[in-house]
Amino acid sequence: MKNKLRILSKDFSSILKNISRLSDSAGIRVYLVGGVVRDLILGKNIVDLDIVVEGDAILFAQAFAHTHKKQFKKHHSFGTATVYYDQYQIDFATARQETYAHAGALPSVEPAELSRDLARRDFTINAMAISLNRDDYGTLIDLHNGLIDLKRGLIRVLHENSFLDDPTRILRAIKFEQRFSFTIEKKTRCLLQTALRRGALRWVNPHRLRDELIPILKEPQPCRYIKRINSLGAFSFIDKKLRLTKQDMLLLQRIEQAIIFYLKRCHTHRKLEEWLLYLCAITCKLSSGSINHFVERFGLHKGDKIRVLSAHTNRSRIQRLRTGLVPHEIYQFLNPFSFECILFFYAYYPDKRIRKHIALFFSKLVQVRLRLKGADLKRLGFKPCTIYGTILEKLLYMKLDKGFSTFRQELNAAQGLAVRLFGTHGTLELKVNH
Ligand code: CTP
């Protein structure tokens, strides 16, 4: 296992050595723990570090940040803090044990030794630690045979009540199963299905389910994950009756293709929230009432909520794109929507004309900008404010349709527009040096 720590990047190795030095001088036992150990053994890329301290993690993290002049943040949740070490995030937590008052409740927590901390975790593959103290630096602590399960590719819970205590683990089991192409071990699968049958996902605070669902939708190729959740009937946490059909799965595939199309064709480099497109597809057949209820219960961020609802309510309006439209009409029609909504429409309607119009919007129209600015209109002698907006908007539409390529063409058009709209073409002749 010592070799595994050696495969860490130089940066991470030196961070761990620094943590190790501090733990020895403070006389505290400190461990690397959870998913990072799993990923290290699997040879995956490590992004952040999770550290468990047998003692006060907040004081330890504070001392560590202070010694290395790094930023430190204490959290509200029990005994946890983060140190921002250059581009890396290091989370420190006090080793703890958890007891659940009732299924799905938030656990009550108290400090404990490492073995208890490992025993409260979700799956054997996530319940391993690596010691960081000098006397056994790099030693793997594997009390639940996580290494064997990792080698066999098995997702296994640590105890019978795991899914009932924390039903979000149902989604986590599916996430790890699909991400690593592992198998959910037979008994664990039975426990998972029993928890689902008992409606465990409905006991949990929906925000916790959201915090598991969104990362799943952000995994590469999330369709596999969605299909698996659906086959287990586990989308009931979104809506009691929600079951995706073959048609819905085809829509999800078209979402995947729409994203590829966007990445190839659209060069504005506007970042796409791809996961939102999948969420729109999963929820699109709900009634307006159910979808409103869902976005509220899940506490989606305002912008995300608006995009999900907008995709849902504006679907039928998009039929207008089936008719013949000139470029500025396509732009005028699509521009008010988010890119995520437009791509959802693209996937939703595999209609040649709609797609042609959306393709034109992304590959060309959305990138068209006027060379002429408000300041140029001012220099032409137009009084600022309202008329600027009107002239510039009409000018942009003309440019979309006629494809002006020079500043002079825009200027002439602006003057023509001004005459038509306001009976004046400005008072000054602008020197054209663009
Ligand atoms: N954990 C748990 N039960 C949960 C969530 C987390 O036992 N419901 C434990 C697991 O040991 C897990 C660790 O907390 O490994 C950290 O959880 P998380 O931050 O979700 O990270 P990862 O397991 O690393 O998952 P991912 O790779 O998707 O980030």
Side-chain angles (χ1 to χ4, degrees):
M1 197 56 218
K2 286 185 182 174
N3 290 341
K4 289 295 174 196
L5 280 186
R6 260 189 242 131
I7 67 163
L8 277 172
S9 69
K10 254 192 184 167
D11 287 354
F12 275 137
S13 298
S14 80
I15 293 173
L16 290 186
K17 291 275 183 205
N18 289 337
I19 294 175
S20 177
R21 265 190 286 277
L22 183 64
S23 58
D24 281 336
S25 62
I28 291 180
R29 301 221 63 91
V30 175
Y31 307 88
L32 193 63
V33 77
V36 60
V37 175
R38 173 201 70 215
D39 287 347
L40 206 57
I41 297 171
L42 288 174
K44 305 267 175 207
N45 193 26
I46 304 297
V47 191
D48 297 313
L49 297 176
D50 279 326
I51 305 288
V52 156
V53 176
E54 277 183 333
D56 191 327
I58 296 176
L59 285 182
F60 186 85
Q62 200 165 20
F64 181 68
H66 181 75
T67 312
H68 299 282
K69 299 189 175 51
K70 303 296 174 198
Q71 267 191 330
F72 159 85
K73 189 170 176 226
K74 179 180 159 180
H75 301 297
H76 292 303
S77 50
F78 177 83
T80 55
T82 300
V83 173
Y84 300 92
Y85 201 108
D86 307 332
Q87 70 269 42
Y88 307 111
Q89 182 174 316
I90 313 171
D91 290 323
F92 292 85
T94 301
R96 65 187 199 237
Q97 61 181 344
E98 295 178 340
T99 40
Y100 293 82
H102 60 85
L106 281 178
S108 55
V109 179
E110 54 186 324
E113 54 197 28
L114 179 78
S115 58
R116 296 275 191 161
D117 188 287
L118 295 179
R120 73 171 174 86
R121 290 176 183 263
D122 51 2
F123 309 114
T124 58
I125 59 168
N126 290 342
M128 292 181 276
I130 296 177
S131 175
L132 296 180
N133 288 82
R134 200 171 33 177
D135 55 1
D136 58 355
Y137 186 82
T139 301
L140 180 72
I141 297 154
D142 178 16
L143 308 175
H144 303 278
N145 293 325
L147 190 57
I148 293 179
D149 282 343
L150 204 51
K151 287 192 173 146
R152 290 188 185 157
L154 290 178
I155 316 287
R156 188 196 308 268
V157 286
L158 272 64
H159 59 88
E160 298 215 334
N161 281 332
S162 191
F163 291 119
L164 298 175
D165 284 347
D166 180 355
T168 65
R169 289 175 176 168
I170 294 171
L171 294 180
R172 291 176 64 81
I174 297 170
K175 174 175 79 174
F176 296 122
E177 175 202 50
Q178 294 301 313
R179 183 195 290 171
F180 300 128
S181 299
F182 279 10
T183 306
I184 301 178
E185 176 272 333
K186 204 169 158 201
K187 189 161 176 222
T188 300
R189 200 171 61 234
C190 287
L191 293 168
L192 184 151
Q193 281 164 330
T194 306
L196 276 173
R197 266 198 305 276
R198 291 180 60 183
L201 286 173
R202 289 200 296 278
W203 306 334
V204 200
N205 180 333
H207 291 194
R208 294 191 56 220
L209 293 168
R210 171 201 64 198
D211 294 344
E212 290 297 341
L213 179 66
I214 293 177
I216 286 179
L217 300 181
K218 287 183 178 174
E219 292 275 323
Q221 298 167 336
C223 285
R224 285 181 296 125
Y225 298 67
I226 296 169
K227 196 169 172 191
R228 181 68 166 137
I229 296 173
N230 190 51
S231 73
L232 289 165
F235 274 128
S236 55
F237 72 90
I238 290 183
D239 184 270
K240 235 182 178 174
K241 293 187 209 124
L242 185 61
R243 290 278 185 290
L244 304 182
T245 59
K246 265 195 184 148
Q247 291 301 319
D248 301 322
M249 290 313 301
L250 288 175
L251 170 61
L252 283 155
Q253 276 170 21
R254 294 200 301 273
I255 295 275
E256 215 165 66
Q257 289 154 8
I259 293 168
I260 295 171
F261 150 83
Y262 173 84
L263 297 175
K264 274 194 193 148
R265 297 287 287 272
C266 188
H267 304 292
T268 60
H269 303 299
R270 194 184 296 178
K271 194 185 164 327
L272 201 63
E273 296 291 353
E274 296 174 16
W275 66 272
L276 259 178
L277 278 150
Y278 291 105
L279 188 61
C280 289
I282 293 168
T283 55
C284 75
K285 67 179 189 188
L286 298 179
S287 68
S288 301
S290 301
I291 202 161
N292 270 298
H293 186 54
F294 162 71
V295 295
E296 288 308 329
R297 265 190 316 129
F298 264 62
L300 293 186
H301 287 149
K302 195 172 165 208
D304 299 337
K305 205 187 298 188
I306 290 171
R307 282 179 281 186
V308 172
L309 294 177
S310 169
H312 190 259
T313 46
N314 288 298
R315 260 175 316 177
S316 47
R317 280 187 60 206
I318 293 305
Q319 305 269 12
R320 164 127 166 72
L321 287 181
R322 281 190 209 272
T323 55
L325 298 171
V326 294
H328 94 260
E329 289 170 321
I330 299 169
Y331 178 86
Q332 207 174 4
F333 186 76
L334 289 175
N335 198 43
F337 294 111
S338 67
F339 279 17
E340 286 80 7
C341 282
I342 299 172
L343 282 169
F344 174 75
F345 301 143
Y346 181 93
Y348 193 79
Y349 291 109
D351 171 280
K352 261 191 182 163
R353 189 168 258 176
I354 293 181
R355 290 192 157 190
K356 201 171 130 213
H357 287 157
I358 292 179
L360 181 69
F361 176 81
F362 278 128
S363 61
K364 196 166 164 208
L365 306 183
V366 81
Q367 280 142 123
V368 174
R369 298 275 179 278
L370 288 175
R371 291 162 192 253
L372 190 108
K373 306 280 176 244
D376 299 318
L377 293 179
K378 192 173 175 192
R379 280 192 283 152
L380 275 172
F382 290 111
K383 288 223 172 73
C385 36
T386 47
I387 64 163
Y388 281 20
T390 315
I391 294 180
L392 291 175
E393 184 184 58
K394 296 252 182 260
L395 195 60
L396 177 66
Y397 293 165
M398 287 175 79
K399 181 165 181 167
L400 291 169
D401 291 341
K402 297 185 180 166
F404 302 146
S405 54
T406 65
F407 180 73
R408 166 58 73 187
Q409 286 173 313
E410 289 184 17
L411 186 67
N412 289 343
Q415 286 180 316
L417 268 173
V419 172
R420 262 198 287 140
L421 294 169
F422 311 105
T424 170
H425 50 65
T427 52
L428 299 171
E429 180 56 23
L430 193 66
K431 212 168 134 200
V432 181
N433 53 5
H434 287 62

